[in-house]
Amino acid sequence: MRRTAVLTVPLVVLASIGCAPQSKDASSGTVGKASDQLLLRIPATDREPAPDVRGETLTGEKAALADHRGKVVVINVWGSWCAPCRAEAPYLRKVYEDTRKQGAEFLGINTRDASKSNAYSFEKEYGITYPSLWDPAGRQLLKFKGTLSPSAIPSTVVIDRKGRIAARALKALNEEELRALIDPALRED
C-alpha cells in the first residue's frame, strides 16, 4: 500500500503565491482572494479623501500632499532595504519623468530605514528626483487607517485631482502596471 504525505503550508506562504483564502476588503466591500486585492482602482463615486500626509523630506525640506491639490499624486511607500522597492525604482523614475507634464506629481514615503543616509543613497543610486518623506516609524502610513491603506512595502497609492484615493497597489509595480493605475486619473477632469 502506497502512502501519500500531507504537507502543511502556512497561510503566509499561500498568500504569497496567490492561494489565500477569501477575504473581504473593508473599504470597498468586495470579496475575493487576497491576491485580487493587490491592484485596486476605485470608481470616482466611491473614493474617500486622502489623509493629511506631510512631514520632512530626506533632504530636510517640508512637503505635504496638500501642496499638490489639483494634480494627480502618486504616493510610493518604500525602504532602501526592500528588494522589491529596488526592482520598481527605475519604473517609478521613468513614469514620473513621463507624466509630470500631464499634471502628475510623485511623493515617496520612506519607512523603516535605519538612517536617512541609507534612504538618500537609494534615491541617488536610482535617480529618484521627486521628494520622499522621512517616516522611519510609519506615522504617515497610520494616517491612512480606515481607508485603502498602503499596508505593504512597497505600496503605491494614486490620489486624484480632488484629493481622493483613486487606486492602490500592494506590490512592486512594473511600468505597465504603474501607468494603468495613473492614466485613468490623469484623464479625469
Side-chain angles (χ1 to χ4, degrees):
M1 176 152 102
R2 190 171 167 192
R3 293 187 175 191
T4 304
V6 177
L7 298 176
T8 305
V9 181
L11 183 60
V12 172
V13 173
L14 289 173
S16 70
I17 60 174
C19 299
Q22 293 207 343
S23 64
K24 181 170 181 177
D25 185 317
S27 59
S28 68
T30 59
V31 177
K33 290 190 306 186
S35 61
D36 296 338
Q37 305 299 320
L38 295 179
L39 296 171
L40 288 174
R41 275 181 242 127
I42 298 90
T45 56
D46 297 336
R47 293 181 187 162
E48 298 179 26
D52 182 25
V53 175
R54 64 178 54 244
E56 185 176 304
T57 67
L58 294 174
T59 58
E61 299 165 6
K62 298 290 181 190
L65 176 58
D67 296 341
H68 305 291
R69 183 71 96 177
K71 295 189 176 192
V72 171
V73 182
V74 178
I75 298 175
N76 179 257
V77 180
W78 63 278
S80 67
W81 45 267
C82 165
C85 299
R86 290 191 292 275
E88 78 174 355
Y91 304 121
L92 288 160
R93 183 190 69 241
K94 179 169 183 2
V95 174
Y96 168 66
E97 292 168 358
D98 291 350
T99 59
R100 288 183 70 192
K101 292 178 185 170
Q102 298 171 27
E105 291 292 337
F106 282 48
L107 178 64
I109 299 177
N110 172 263
T111 192
R112 298 188 194 163
D113 258 313
S115 72
K116 276 188 181 181
S117 63
N118 290 345
Y120 189 71
S121 293
F122 175 97
E123 286 192 333
K124 286 185 82 172
E125 180 179 345
Y126 291 101
I128 303 297
T129 58
Y130 54 83
S132 284
L133 298 176
W134 168 243
D135 189 30
R139 288 188 178 103
Q140 297 306 311
L141 302 180
L142 291 174
K143 292 178 179 181
F144 283 90
K145 186 176 179 178
T147 67
L148 284 173
S149 173
S151 57
I153 300 169
S155 287
T156 301
V157 178
V158 178
I159 310 300
D160 68 16
R161 287 183 172 93
K162 296 178 181 176
R164 303 172 303 172
I165 300 171
R168 178 195 65 188
L170 296 177
K171 65 178 213 124
L173 299 172
N174 62 35
E175 182 178 349
E176 182 179 303
E177 292 168 324
L178 186 55
R179 289 182 187 279
L181 288 180
I182 299 169
D183 288 347
L186 286 172
R187 287 191 297 267
E188 294 173 0
D189 292 329

